[in-house]
Each structure stands twice: as C-alpha cells, then as structure tokens.
Amino acid sequence: MKKSLLFAFALSIALFSCGGKTEEIHEENSMEHASGDASAASTSAVASSAATSAIIDSYLAVKDALVGDNAQEAASKSQALVASLKSFDISSTEAEDLEELERLQVEAIAFAEKLASEDIASQRESFQALSVTLKDFLKIAGTDRTLYHQYCPMYKGNTGGMWLSANEDIKNPLFGSSMLTCGRVEETIALK
C-alpha cells in the first residue's frame, strides 16, 4: 500500500512538473462567455457526505481568492485546504474504492501544498490540476452540496482548464478579472 502511494505521489509530481495535460480539449479554439447555464450539462449523482464539507469549503475559499486575483489570500487559504485534505479519514467513508480514494487524496494534497506559492500563475496551474483530482475524489467520497464542474477552453494556450463551483454563475479563477466570465458548466455533481 505504501509503495503504491509513493508511486502515485511521484507520478503526480512528474506529470505536474512536466506540464502534462490533466484534461482533454473539449473544443478547439472556442470561447464561450456564459452565465454558466447548467441545463445543457451532464449530471452525476454522488453520495451525500458531510465528511467532505471542510475540504469543499476550503477549496471554494481558495477559488474565490483566485477569482479576486489575490495570490496572498489564496496562499493563506490553501493552508486550511491542505489541513482538511490531510485530516480526511478514508476509513470512515462508505466509498467502494478506498484504494483509489487514498491515491486521489495524496495527489490532491500535493497540488494543494503548491498553492502556498504567492505567484498567482503557479497557483492557478496548481489549482486547475487540483480541481481535476478533487472532482474525482468527491465523486467517490461524496459531497454535502451540489457542485458545478466549470470549464474554460481558453486556459493555458487553449488547452482548457476546469474548476468546481458551488453555483452555476461563471467566476473564472484561472483568469480572474482578465476573463472573469469565460467558461461554461460542463457537469452538475448532484446528491443522490
């Protein structure tokens, strides 16, 4: 188990540092400025779980700081995110795939720790990678609220990037004020 955790951690570091894609391009060179209308988005039903509340709350606090172009606040808020991820007790969940959940937890912690940098471009890159991992984590562990997987096709040289939000309105943390409403809702993650 420890070897697989070490391997997963090393692999996530290698992929992140090499600039590997964390999500496929959904549309080439398209830009959509929308209010986040989720009516066309797919829906995934996940288990209800209060155990992830602290993780979601601290993740959303970092997102809001990045939306506001505040690198210092994002770095400060990332400490609570790291702590909540580390304190999440996998053995207390009713999730079926505990090994995958553990791998995702380790990967999420690694990305969240990189948010401590006060370089906003680095924070946004780490946040986007964390978002992909956290979405998968929450689909297994469950959530205490409906979340919206939002996607901006213009991020990182038009390779695209995603994040999670508690509401449909687009407030883009990957660009902040320079492209605040660029994006669309790709998926609604709803409670069963």
Side-chain angles (χ1 to χ4, degrees):
M1 181 71 103
K2 284 189 177 187
K3 285 183 181 180
S4 64
L5 281 176
L6 279 172
F7 177 73
F9 180 71
L11 181 62
S12 66
I13 298 282
L15 285 173
F16 182 75
S17 65
C18 293
K21 285 187 185 176
T22 56
E23 184 168 348
E24 292 294 317
I25 301 172
H26 289 185
E27 290 182 19
E28 291 186 51
N29 299 321
S30 68
M31 178 173 72
E32 185 173 324
H33 293 274
S35 64
D37 179 20
S39 61
S42 65
T43 301
S44 295
V46 299
S48 176
S49 174
T52 57
S53 295
I55 294 170
I56 296 168
D57 289 343
S58 53
Y59 169 87
L60 293 172
V62 172
K63 178 191 76 81
D64 291 343
L66 293 173
V67 165
D69 298 323
N70 191 333
Q72 193 171 32
E73 184 178 345
S76 173
K77 300 287 184 186
S78 72
Q79 294 171 7
L81 178 56
V82 170
S84 62
L85 282 163
K86 285 182 176 180
S87 67
F88 181 78
D89 182 12
I90 290 174
S91 64
S92 70
T93 68
E94 295 180 20
E96 292 180 22
D97 194 349
L98 296 181
E99 195 169 304
E100 176 67 1
L101 191 60
E102 187 173 7
R103 183 193 70 76
L104 290 167
Q105 180 183 29
V106 169
E107 191 173 303
I109 290 167
F111 289 131
E113 288 175 338
K114 291 182 178 188
L115 292 167
S117 160
E118 289 195 16
D119 173 45
I120 199 154
S122 294
Q123 287 175 325
R124 286 182 166 140
E125 193 169 319
S126 296
F127 184 78
Q128 196 287 142
L130 169 66
S131 297
V132 173
T133 301
L134 190 60
K135 177 184 146 191
D136 293 341
F137 179 89
L138 293 172
K139 282 186 169 186
I140 297 171
T143 180
D144 64 347
R145 65 196 93 176
T146 296
L147 294 170
Y148 300 92
H149 161 180
Q150 298 178 338
Y151 176 78
C152 174
M154 307 249 338
Y155 181 68
K156 200 149 182 168
N158 294 328
T159 61
M162 63 84 57
W163 65 94
L164 298 172
S165 179
N167 58 57
E168 293 179 49
D169 294 335
I170 301 294
K171 300 284 189 224
N172 189 328
L174 305 179
F175 282 113
S177 63
S178 67
M179 293 180 78
L180 187 61
T181 60
C182 181
R184 65 181 175 266
V185 174
E186 291 273 301
E187 181 181 11
T188 301
I189 301 167
L191 300 175
K192 287 183 182 177

